[in-house]
Amino acid sequence: MPKAYVIVTEAIKDPAGMAAYGRAAGPSLAESGAAVLAADPSPQVLEGEWHGDQTVVLEFASVEAARAWYESPAYERAKPLRQAAAESHAVIVTGFVMPGA
């Protein structure tokens, strides 16, 4: 089963609010078994327009695990803090498995 990645771009309006969100969301990530692969406050755009001033990449065991975290009661309590502190875009993408691997 391929891994899954949650990618979030954030245009932060309230740094203190984002800090509060980080404290609230951290335990839900730990409970889900997620790994934070990147949290970059200044991603280097190679092509096109990029949303926000911070990009976060989270790794999960599967798409189902990523969705379970996103919809979990623990994260449902943290999510409004992020939404109040930043304009965010978020996606779940399925990891690539090389054919024949």
Side-chain angles (χ1 to χ4, degrees):
M1 176 180 311
K3 292 188 179 199
Y5 302 89
V6 172
I7 303 169
V8 182
T9 60
E10 302 163 330
I12 299 169
K13 305 179 287 190
D14 176 7
M18 283 301 288
Y21 161 73
R23 291 188 298 274
S28 72
L29 287 168
E31 290 171 13
S32 73
V36 179
L37 298 183
D40 192 336
S42 52
Q44 299 178 30
V45 177
L46 299 176
E47 293 184 23
E49 299 289 323
W50 194 253
H51 169 262
D53 49 19
Q54 178 163 276
T55 299
V56 177
V57 180
L58 307 172
E59 180 183 64
F60 292 85
S62 65
V63 168
E64 293 77 17
R67 185 157 296 279
W69 162 76
Y70 188 78
E71 296 173 351
S72 71
Y75 190 64
E76 286 292 329
R77 289 188 296 274
K79 193 184 321 177
L81 296 172
R82 176 180 48 78
Q83 292 169 336
E87 178 188 317
S88 302
H89 297 171
V91 296
I92 297 173
V93 296
T94 302
F96 180 74
V97 177
M98 185 66 73

